Amino acid sequence: MTHTVEDGHRLDRFRELWGEIAPIGRDERSGGYLRYAFTEPELRLREWFREQADARAMPVTGDGNGNLFAWWGDPDAGGAVLTGSHFDSVPHGGAYDGPLGIVSAWLAVDELRAAGVTPSRPLVVGAFVEEEGARFGVPCLGSRLLTGQIDADRAGRLRDAAGVSFAEALGARPAGADPGLLGRFGAFVELHVEQGRALVDQNAPVAVASAIWPHGRWRLDFTGEGNHAGTTRMADRRDPMLTYAFTVLAANKEARLRDAHATVGRVVVEPNATNAVPSRVTGWLDARAAEPDTLDGLVEAVRVKAGERARRDGTEVTLTEESATPLVAFDGGLADRLARLLAAPVLPTGAGHDAGVLAAHVPTAMLFVRNPTGVSHSPAESATDADCAAGVVALARVLAELLR
Ligand code: HGY
Ligand code: MN
Ligand code: MN
Ligand code: MN
Protein backbone atom coordinates (compact mmCIF):
# COMPACT_ATOMS: atom_id res chain seq x y z
CA MET A 1 0.00 0.00 0.00
CA THR A 2 1.66 3.27 -1.01
CA HIS A 3 1.32 5.90 1.66
CA THR A 4 -0.25 9.12 0.52
CA VAL A 5 -0.10 10.60 4.03
CA GLU A 6 3.24 12.33 4.63
CA ASP A 7 5.13 11.38 7.81
CA GLY A 8 5.03 14.94 9.14
CA HIS A 9 1.31 15.10 8.57
CA ARG A 10 0.96 11.62 10.10
CA LEU A 11 2.73 12.75 13.25
CA ASP A 12 0.50 15.83 13.43
CA ARG A 13 -2.61 13.69 13.00
CA PHE A 14 -1.51 11.37 15.81
CA ARG A 15 -0.76 14.31 18.12
CA GLU A 16 -4.08 15.92 17.27
CA LEU A 17 -6.17 12.83 18.02
CA TRP A 18 -4.07 11.83 21.02
CA GLY A 19 -4.41 15.35 22.40
CA GLU A 20 -8.18 15.01 22.38
CA ILE A 21 -8.20 12.14 24.90
CA ALA A 22 -4.94 12.62 26.85
CA PRO A 23 -6.52 14.92 29.49
CA ILE A 24 -9.57 12.67 30.05
CA GLY A 25 -9.32 10.89 33.40
CA ARG A 26 -5.79 12.09 34.14
CA ASP A 27 -5.03 12.54 37.86
CA GLU A 28 -3.10 15.81 38.29
CA ARG A 29 -1.33 14.60 41.43
CA SER A 30 0.02 11.27 40.15
CA GLY A 31 -0.04 11.94 36.39
CA GLY A 32 -1.69 8.55 36.09
CA TYR A 33 -5.18 7.76 34.81
CA LEU A 34 -8.39 6.93 36.66
CA ARG A 35 -10.57 5.55 33.85
CA TYR A 36 -12.89 2.93 35.32
CA ALA A 37 -15.74 1.34 33.39
CA PHE A 38 -18.84 3.56 33.21
CA THR A 39 -17.35 6.31 35.39
CA GLU A 40 -17.32 9.89 34.09
CA PRO A 41 -13.93 9.76 32.30
CA GLU A 42 -14.72 6.47 30.57
CA LEU A 43 -18.19 7.70 29.59
CA ARG A 44 -16.51 10.76 28.00
CA LEU A 45 -14.19 8.43 26.11
CA ARG A 46 -17.22 6.49 24.88
CA GLU A 47 -18.71 9.78 23.67
CA TRP A 48 -15.41 10.57 21.91
CA PHE A 49 -15.51 7.10 20.32
CA ARG A 50 -18.98 7.84 18.89
CA GLU A 51 -17.80 11.28 17.63
CA GLN A 52 -14.87 9.64 15.84
CA ALA A 53 -17.19 7.05 14.31
CA ASP A 54 -19.67 9.73 13.21
CA ALA A 55 -16.86 11.75 11.65
CA ARG A 56 -16.01 8.69 9.54
CA ALA A 57 -19.62 7.74 8.79
CA MET A 58 -19.13 4.49 10.70
CA PRO A 59 -22.33 3.44 12.52
CA VAL A 60 -21.76 2.26 16.09
CA THR A 61 -23.38 -0.87 17.51
CA GLY A 62 -23.23 -2.29 21.03
CA ASP A 63 -23.38 -5.95 22.05
CA GLY A 64 -25.39 -5.51 25.23
CA ASN A 65 -22.26 -6.11 27.34
CA GLY A 66 -20.80 -2.61 27.25
CA ASN A 67 -18.54 -3.18 24.24
CA LEU A 68 -18.71 -0.75 21.26
CA PHE A 69 -18.17 -1.51 17.57
CA ALA A 70 -17.99 1.03 14.71
CA TRP A 71 -18.51 -0.42 11.21
CA TRP A 72 -16.98 0.53 7.85
CA GLY A 73 -18.94 -1.64 5.44
CA ASP A 74 -21.98 -3.89 5.66
CA PRO A 75 -22.23 -5.46 9.17
CA ASP A 76 -23.96 -8.49 7.64
CA ALA A 77 -21.24 -9.09 5.04
CA GLY A 78 -19.27 -11.44 7.33
CA GLY A 79 -15.47 -11.86 7.57
CA ALA A 80 -15.13 -8.44 9.18
CA VAL A 81 -11.67 -7.38 10.35
CA LEU A 82 -11.89 -5.98 13.90
CA THR A 83 -9.25 -3.73 15.40
CA GLY A 84 -9.27 -1.85 18.70
CA SER A 85 -8.59 -2.26 22.41
CA HIS A 86 -9.94 -0.81 25.69
CA PHE A 87 -10.37 2.61 27.37
CA ASP A 88 -10.29 1.60 31.00
CA SER A 89 -7.17 1.79 33.19
CA VAL A 90 -5.77 0.40 36.40
CA PRO A 91 -5.70 3.01 39.22
CA HIS A 92 -3.16 5.68 38.21
CA GLY A 93 -2.32 3.66 35.11
CA GLY A 94 -0.42 4.85 32.08
CA ALA A 95 -1.82 6.88 29.19
CA TYR A 96 -1.23 4.32 26.46
CA ASP A 97 -2.40 0.94 27.84
CA GLY A 98 -5.65 0.50 25.92
CA PRO A 99 -6.40 3.90 24.35
CA LEU A 100 -3.38 3.71 22.03
CA GLY A 101 -5.02 0.75 20.28
CA ILE A 102 -8.24 2.68 19.71
CA VAL A 103 -6.64 5.95 18.58
CA SER A 104 -4.38 3.95 16.24
CA ALA A 105 -7.43 2.14 14.83
CA TRP A 106 -9.14 5.41 13.84
CA LEU A 107 -5.93 6.72 12.28
CA ALA A 108 -5.43 3.44 10.42
CA VAL A 109 -8.92 3.83 8.93
CA ASP A 110 -7.87 7.32 7.78
CA GLU A 111 -4.67 5.92 6.28
CA LEU A 112 -6.58 3.28 4.32
CA ARG A 113 -9.07 5.84 3.02
CA ALA A 114 -6.28 8.28 2.11
CA ALA A 115 -4.61 5.46 0.19
CA GLY A 116 -7.84 4.77 -1.66
CA VAL A 117 -8.27 1.29 -0.15
CA THR A 118 -11.78 -0.08 -0.62
CA PRO A 119 -12.11 -2.98 1.83
CA SER A 120 -13.52 -6.18 0.39
CA ARG A 121 -14.92 -6.91 3.85
CA PRO A 122 -16.12 -4.74 6.74
CA LEU A 123 -13.52 -3.04 8.93
CA VAL A 124 -14.63 -2.57 12.53
CA VAL A 125 -13.14 -0.40 15.29
CA GLY A 126 -13.88 -1.86 18.71
CA ALA A 127 -13.67 -0.74 22.35
CA PHE A 128 -13.93 -3.48 24.98
CA VAL A 129 -15.25 -2.68 28.45
CA GLU A 130 -13.52 -3.42 31.80
CA GLU A 131 -10.36 -4.95 30.33
CA GLU A 132 -8.32 -4.19 33.44
CA GLY A 133 -10.91 -5.48 35.87
CA ALA A 134 -10.02 -2.45 38.00
CA ARG A 135 -13.64 -1.69 38.97
CA PHE A 136 -15.40 -5.06 38.97
CA GLY A 137 -12.45 -7.40 39.63
CA VAL A 138 -12.51 -9.64 36.54
CA PRO A 139 -10.16 -8.62 33.69
CA CYS A 140 -11.28 -8.66 30.04
CA LEU A 141 -14.87 -8.70 31.31
CA GLY A 142 -16.32 -7.30 28.07
CA SER A 143 -14.54 -9.72 25.76
CA ARG A 144 -15.23 -12.64 28.13
CA LEU A 145 -18.93 -11.74 28.04
CA LEU A 146 -19.02 -11.46 24.24
CA THR A 147 -17.31 -14.86 23.85
CA GLY A 148 -19.28 -16.55 26.62
CA GLN A 149 -16.14 -17.08 28.72
CA ILE A 150 -18.00 -15.68 31.71
CA ASP A 151 -21.63 -16.28 32.64
CA ALA A 152 -23.73 -13.14 32.10
CA ASP A 153 -25.48 -13.46 35.49
CA ARG A 154 -22.18 -13.88 37.34
CA ALA A 155 -20.78 -10.86 35.49
CA GLY A 156 -23.88 -8.81 36.24
CA ARG A 157 -23.52 -9.56 39.97
CA LEU A 158 -19.86 -8.43 40.18
CA ARG A 159 -19.69 -5.42 42.48
CA ASP A 160 -17.27 -2.51 42.78
CA ALA A 161 -15.87 -1.16 46.05
CA ALA A 162 -19.01 0.94 46.56
CA GLY A 163 -21.24 -2.10 46.08
CA VAL A 164 -22.49 -1.08 42.62
CA SER A 165 -23.02 -4.12 40.40
CA PHE A 166 -21.81 -4.39 36.81
CA ALA A 167 -25.46 -4.77 35.73
CA GLU A 168 -26.36 -1.53 37.54
CA ALA A 169 -23.43 0.30 35.97
CA LEU A 170 -24.28 -1.14 32.54
CA GLY A 171 -27.94 -0.27 33.06
CA ALA A 172 -29.15 -3.79 32.31
CA ARG A 173 -28.32 -7.46 32.77
CA PRO A 174 -25.38 -8.08 30.41
CA ALA A 175 -26.49 -9.79 27.19
CA GLY A 176 -23.68 -12.33 27.43
CA ALA A 177 -22.36 -14.45 24.57
CA ASP A 178 -23.21 -13.27 21.07
CA PRO A 179 -22.06 -16.00 18.69
CA GLY A 180 -23.84 -14.23 15.84
CA LEU A 181 -21.73 -11.09 16.26
CA LEU A 182 -18.57 -13.08 16.97
CA GLY A 183 -19.20 -15.12 13.84
CA ARG A 184 -19.13 -11.99 11.72
CA PHE A 185 -15.49 -11.30 12.63
CA GLY A 186 -12.91 -12.95 10.38
CA ALA A 187 -9.90 -11.51 12.22
CA PHE A 188 -8.99 -9.30 15.21
CA VAL A 189 -5.84 -7.15 15.45
CA GLU A 190 -5.11 -5.33 18.71
CA LEU A 191 -2.35 -2.71 18.77
CA HIS A 192 -0.99 -2.13 22.29
CA VAL A 193 1.86 -0.32 23.94
CA GLU A 194 4.55 -2.82 24.89
CA GLN A 195 4.58 -3.57 28.62
CA GLY A 196 8.28 -4.27 28.84
CA ARG A 197 11.55 -3.27 27.18
CA ALA A 198 12.10 -5.93 24.50
CA LEU A 199 11.58 -3.45 21.65
CA VAL A 200 14.04 -1.04 23.27
CA ASP A 201 16.58 -3.86 23.49
CA GLN A 202 15.90 -4.89 19.89
CA ASN A 203 15.86 -1.28 18.70
CA ALA A 204 12.59 -1.72 16.81
CA PRO A 205 9.44 0.47 16.97
CA VAL A 206 6.88 -2.31 16.46
CA ALA A 207 6.61 -6.05 17.18
CA VAL A 208 4.11 -8.82 16.52
CA ALA A 209 2.90 -10.91 19.47
CA SER A 210 3.46 -14.65 19.56
CA ALA A 211 1.80 -15.60 22.84
CA ILE A 212 0.35 -14.47 26.17
CA TRP A 213 1.62 -16.22 29.28
CA PRO A 214 -0.93 -18.14 31.33
CA HIS A 215 -1.86 -16.01 34.31
CA GLY A 216 -4.54 -15.39 36.89
CA ARG A 217 -5.73 -13.70 40.07
CA TRP A 218 -6.26 -15.46 43.39
CA ARG A 219 -7.87 -13.97 46.48
CA LEU A 220 -6.11 -14.82 49.76
CA ASP A 221 -8.29 -14.46 52.88
CA PHE A 222 -6.33 -14.45 56.14
CA THR A 223 -8.43 -14.55 59.31
CA GLY A 224 -7.26 -14.21 62.90
CA GLU A 225 -8.41 -12.46 66.04
CA GLY A 226 -8.88 -8.72 66.15
CA ASN A 227 -7.53 -7.32 69.38
CA HIS A 228 -5.98 -4.33 71.14
CA ALA A 229 -2.52 -3.47 69.73
CA GLY A 230 -1.30 -2.26 73.10
CA THR A 231 -2.59 -4.69 75.67
CA THR A 232 -2.56 -8.09 73.92
CA ARG A 233 0.51 -10.14 74.78
CA MET A 234 2.48 -11.22 71.68
CA ALA A 235 2.09 -14.90 72.58
CA ASP A 236 -1.70 -14.49 72.66
CA ARG A 237 -2.02 -12.84 69.26
CA ARG A 238 -3.51 -14.53 66.18
CA ASP A 239 -2.41 -11.84 63.79
CA PRO A 240 -3.42 -12.42 60.11
CA MET A 241 -1.11 -9.62 59.01
CA LEU A 242 1.82 -11.81 60.03
CA THR A 243 0.60 -14.72 57.89
CA TYR A 244 -0.14 -12.31 55.03
CA ALA A 245 3.34 -10.79 55.17
CA PHE A 246 4.98 -14.20 55.19
CA THR A 247 2.83 -15.32 52.23
CA VAL A 248 3.82 -12.26 50.16
CA LEU A 249 7.49 -13.08 50.78
CA ALA A 250 6.86 -16.75 49.95
CA ALA A 251 5.11 -15.83 46.66
CA ASN A 252 8.08 -13.66 45.68
CA LYS A 253 10.58 -16.41 46.51
CA GLU A 254 8.61 -19.20 44.78
CA ALA A 255 8.21 -17.04 41.65
CA ARG A 256 11.92 -16.31 41.48
CA LEU A 257 12.72 -20.01 41.89
CA ARG A 258 10.56 -20.73 38.81
CA ASP A 259 11.49 -17.69 36.71
CA ALA A 260 7.80 -16.76 36.99
CA HIS A 261 6.08 -13.54 38.09
CA ALA A 262 4.02 -12.94 41.24
CA THR A 263 2.89 -9.88 43.15
CA VAL A 264 0.28 -9.06 45.76
CA GLY A 265 -0.59 -5.53 44.67
CA ARG A 266 -3.86 -5.06 46.47
CA VAL A 267 -4.69 -5.60 50.14
CA VAL A 268 -7.67 -4.85 52.39
CA VAL A 269 -7.24 -4.87 56.17
CA GLU A 270 -10.10 -5.09 58.71
CA PRO A 271 -10.65 -3.11 60.86
CA ASN A 272 -7.65 -1.22 59.38
CA ALA A 273 -6.83 0.72 62.55
CA THR A 274 -3.30 1.56 63.69
CA ASN A 275 -4.00 0.44 67.25
CA ALA A 276 -5.84 -2.80 66.45
CA VAL A 277 -4.46 -6.24 65.64
CA PRO A 278 -6.33 -7.03 62.41
CA SER A 279 -9.15 -9.57 62.40
CA ARG A 280 -8.91 -10.17 58.67
CA VAL A 281 -6.49 -9.38 55.84
CA THR A 282 -7.45 -9.97 52.20
CA GLY A 283 -4.77 -9.89 49.52
CA TRP A 284 -4.97 -10.52 45.78
CA LEU A 285 -2.18 -12.56 44.20
CA ASP A 286 -1.37 -11.92 40.53
CA ALA A 287 0.72 -14.83 39.26
CA ARG A 288 2.02 -15.55 35.76
CA ALA A 289 4.45 -17.95 34.10
CA ALA A 290 5.56 -18.94 30.61
CA GLU A 291 4.15 -22.46 31.01
CA PRO A 292 0.85 -23.63 32.57
CA ASP A 293 2.41 -26.25 34.87
CA THR A 294 4.96 -23.72 36.15
CA LEU A 295 2.07 -21.42 37.06
CA ASP A 296 0.15 -24.26 38.71
CA GLY A 297 3.26 -25.21 40.70
CA LEU A 298 3.78 -21.62 41.82
CA VAL A 299 0.20 -21.14 43.02
CA GLU A 300 0.20 -24.50 44.80
CA ALA A 301 3.47 -23.64 46.54
CA VAL A 302 1.97 -20.33 47.74
CA ARG A 303 -1.11 -22.15 49.00
CA VAL A 304 0.97 -24.71 50.92
CA LYS A 305 3.39 -22.16 52.42
CA ALA A 306 0.52 -19.90 53.48
CA GLY A 307 -1.24 -22.84 55.16
CA GLU A 308 1.89 -23.91 57.02
CA ARG A 309 2.45 -20.40 58.31
CA ALA A 310 -1.21 -19.99 59.28
CA ARG A 311 -0.98 -23.07 61.51
CA ARG A 312 2.07 -21.52 63.19
CA ASP A 313 0.29 -18.17 63.68
CA GLY A 314 -3.00 -19.64 64.84
CA THR A 315 -4.75 -18.04 61.86
CA GLU A 316 -6.67 -19.43 58.87
CA VAL A 317 -6.08 -18.80 55.19
CA THR A 318 -8.05 -19.62 52.05
CA LEU A 319 -6.94 -19.14 48.46
CA THR A 320 -9.70 -18.64 45.88
CA GLU A 321 -9.19 -18.34 42.13
CA GLU A 322 -10.93 -15.19 40.85
CA SER A 323 -9.87 -15.28 37.22
CA ALA A 324 -7.60 -17.43 35.13
CA THR A 325 -6.29 -17.02 31.60
CA PRO A 326 -4.73 -20.04 29.88
CA LEU A 327 -1.65 -19.84 27.68
CA VAL A 328 -2.66 -17.99 24.49
CA ALA A 329 -0.68 -18.91 21.40
CA PHE A 330 -1.70 -16.41 18.73
CA ASP A 331 -2.39 -17.78 15.25
CA GLY A 332 1.18 -18.72 14.31
CA GLY A 333 0.66 -18.44 10.55
CA LEU A 334 -0.88 -14.99 10.93
CA ALA A 335 1.86 -13.81 13.31
CA ASP A 336 4.61 -14.99 10.94
CA ARG A 337 2.85 -13.43 7.94
CA LEU A 338 2.55 -10.07 9.72
CA ALA A 339 6.12 -10.22 11.06
CA ARG A 340 7.35 -10.71 7.49
CA LEU A 341 5.08 -7.97 6.17
CA LEU A 342 6.36 -5.51 8.78
CA ALA A 343 9.92 -6.88 9.07
CA ALA A 344 9.19 -6.81 12.79
CA PRO A 345 10.30 -9.06 15.66
CA VAL A 346 7.88 -11.52 17.27
CA LEU A 347 7.49 -11.30 21.07
CA PRO A 348 5.58 -13.14 23.82
CA THR A 349 4.02 -11.12 26.62
CA GLY A 350 3.09 -11.63 30.24
CA ALA A 351 0.22 -9.17 29.95
CA GLY A 352 -3.37 -10.19 29.38
CA HIS A 353 -5.40 -8.60 26.61
CA ASP A 354 -8.82 -8.80 25.00
CA ALA A 355 -6.92 -10.25 22.04
CA GLY A 356 -6.04 -13.15 24.33
CA VAL A 357 -9.73 -13.81 24.88
CA LEU A 358 -10.83 -13.38 21.25
CA ALA A 359 -7.95 -15.60 20.04
CA ALA A 360 -9.95 -18.71 21.01
CA HIS A 361 -12.74 -17.68 18.63
CA VAL A 362 -11.28 -15.52 15.84
CA PRO A 363 -7.84 -15.52 14.07
CA THR A 364 -6.15 -12.88 16.22
CA ALA A 365 -2.91 -10.90 16.14
CA MET A 366 -1.35 -8.23 18.33
CA LEU A 367 1.07 -5.45 17.49
CA PHE A 368 3.25 -3.88 20.20
CA VAL A 369 4.58 -0.33 20.06
CA ARG A 370 7.90 0.45 21.75
CA ASN A 371 7.77 1.77 25.32
CA PRO A 372 11.07 3.49 26.20
CA THR A 373 10.61 3.04 29.96
CA GLY A 374 9.17 -0.45 29.56
CA VAL A 375 6.97 0.44 32.54
CA SER A 376 3.20 -0.07 32.46
CA HIS A 377 0.27 0.05 34.89
CA SER A 378 1.99 3.21 36.15
CA PRO A 379 2.18 6.91 35.19
CA ALA A 380 5.73 6.14 33.99
CA GLU A 381 4.36 4.22 30.98
CA SER A 382 5.63 5.89 27.80
CA ALA A 383 5.74 5.88 24.02
CA THR A 384 7.16 8.45 21.61
CA ASP A 385 4.86 10.16 19.08
CA ALA A 386 7.12 8.91 16.29
CA ASP A 387 6.79 5.28 17.43
CA CYS A 388 3.04 5.69 17.83
CA ALA A 389 2.85 7.05 14.27
CA ALA A 390 4.94 4.07 13.13
CA GLY A 391 2.43 1.86 14.93
CA VAL A 392 -0.41 3.44 12.94
CA VAL A 393 1.42 2.78 9.68
CA ALA A 394 2.07 -0.82 10.71
CA LEU A 395 -1.56 -1.33 11.72
CA ALA A 396 -2.79 0.19 8.45
CA ARG A 397 -0.50 -2.13 6.47
CA VAL A 398 -1.72 -5.14 8.44
CA LEU A 399 -5.37 -4.17 7.95
CA ALA A 400 -4.84 -3.54 4.22
CA GLU A 401 -3.29 -7.00 3.99
CA LEU A 402 -6.20 -8.63 5.85
CA LEU A 403 -8.85 -6.68 3.94
CA ARG A 404 -7.60 -7.66 0.48
O1 HGY B 1 -3.19 -7.33 33.78
C1 HGY B 1 -2.93 -7.43 32.59
O2 HGY B 1 -2.15 -8.25 32.21
C2 HGY B 1 -3.57 -6.52 31.58
O3 HGY B 1 -2.79 -5.37 31.44
N1 HGY B 1 -4.92 -6.21 31.90
MN1 MN C 1 -3.28 -3.21 31.33
MN1 MN D 1 -4.24 -3.11 28.02
MN1 MN E 1 -4.58 -5.89 28.77
Side-chain angles (χ1 to χ4, degrees):
M1 181 182 97
T2 52
H3 293 301
T4 56
V5 180
E6 289 311 310
D7 279 340
H9 171 65
R10 188 174 284 130
L11 210 48
D12 293 344
R13 276 294 291 139
F14 172 76
R15 286 171 176 152
E16 183 189 338
L17 215 51
W18 191 250
E20 290 178 13
I21 66 163
I24 300 175
R26 188 172 184 279
D27 178 74
E28 289 316 316
R29 181 185 58 77
S30 70
Y33 285 81
L34 304 171
R35 291 166 169 167
Y36 309 132
F38 302 118
T39 61
E40 191 270 340
E42 199 245 22
L43 294 173
R44 278 174 58 197
L45 289 164
R46 286 170 177 269
E47 210 177 289
W48 175 84
F49 182 93
R50 291 183 184 280
E51 288 161 6
Q52 294 303 313
D54 292 349
R56 294 168 178 81
M58 292 172 67
V60 176
T61 61
D63 65 349
N65 296 309
N67 304 313
L68 295 176
F69 301 100
W71 296 78
W72 175 15
D74 172 8
D76 296 325
V81 176
L82 171 66
T83 184
S85 191
H86 61 94
F87 281 129
D88 66 308
S89 73
V90 298
H92 303 285
Y96 298 89
D97 177 350
L100 182 64
I102 296 173
V103 167
S104 302
W106 293 124
L107 292 171
V109 166
D110 298 346
E111 288 271 337
L112 294 175
R113 289 180 174 181
V117 170
T118 312
S120 58
R121 290 177 282 141
L123 174 57
V124 185
V125 175
F128 286 101
V129 70
E130 185 71 352
E131 190 272 350
E132 298 291 1
R135 181 175 179 188
F136 295 101
V138 172
C140 300
L141 187 59
S143 50
R144 290 180 200 261
L145 274 163
L146 172 60
T147 57
Q149 281 191 26
I150 187 168
D151 170 71
D153 287 323
R154 177 186 166 216
R157 287 193 300 269
L158 293 171
R159 292 190 181 280
D160 68 7
V164 177
S165 73
F166 180 73
E168 288 159 352
L170 177 66
R173 174 188 179 280
D178 186 340
L181 172 59
L182 211 49
R184 279 186 265 157
F185 295 135
F188 174 41
V189 184
E190 180 172 3
L191 179 144
H192 203 284
V193 66
E194 188 195 349
Q195 295 162 306
R197 287 177 46 86
L199 281 171
V200 173
D201 298 342
Q202 299 193 31
N203 192 24
V206 172
V208 176
S210 55
I212 293 178
W213 281 17
H215 61 281
R217 301 178 180 195
W218 288 264
R219 196 183 70 245
L220 285 151
D221 287 292
F222 302 88
T223 47
E225 182 182 50
N227 212 324
H228 194 295
T231 56
T232 314
R233 293 187 306 169
M234 293 308 280
D236 295 341
R237 294 185 187 205
R238 294 194 297 114
D239 185 350
M241 186 64 88
L242 206 53
T243 319
Y244 161 79
F246 173 83
T247 303
V248 170
L249 290 171
N252 183 283
K253 183 177 170 217
E254 294 300 330
R256 288 172 186 275
L257 286 174
R258 294 170 171 78
D259 202 17
H261 298 172
T263 286
V264 179
R266 181 175 159 224
V267 62
V268 173
V269 183
E270 295 169 37
N272 203 27
T274 306
N275 55 353
V277 175
S279 54
R280 171 191 284 267
V281 175
T282 304
W284 281 265
L285 170 71
D286 181 313
R288 315 194 186 202
E291 301 299 331
D293 52 10
T294 308
L295 178 61
D296 294 346
L298 167 58
V299 175
E300 179 57 14
V302 172
R303 192 185 64 75
V304 167
K305 299 279 185 190
E308 286 167 359
R309 181 69 198 208
R311 278 186 291 285
R312 206 175 122 181
D313 297 339
T315 56
E316 279 93 47
V317 59
T318 60
L319 180 138
T320 314
E321 179 184 285
E322 286 205 335
S323 78
T325 302
L327 170 69
V328 171
F330 287 115
D331 182 311
L334 181 57
D336 291 346
R337 186 174 147 206
L338 300 186
R340 278 196 305 277
L341 176 76
L342 301 174
V346 180
L347 295 177
T349 180
H353 299 281
D354 294 308
V357 175
L358 269 288
H361 305 266
V362 176
T364 297
M366 282 197 81
L367 300 182
F368 294 131
V369 171
R370 178 164 44 194
N371 171 347
T373 62
V375 174
S376 186
H377 285 187
S378 152
E381 183 181 80
S382 71
T384 66
D385 292 349
D387 281 349
C388 292
V392 170
V393 171
L395 181 60
R397 293 186 65 183
V398 162
L399 296 174
E401 172 77 6
L402 297 177
L403 286 165
R404 281 190 310 163

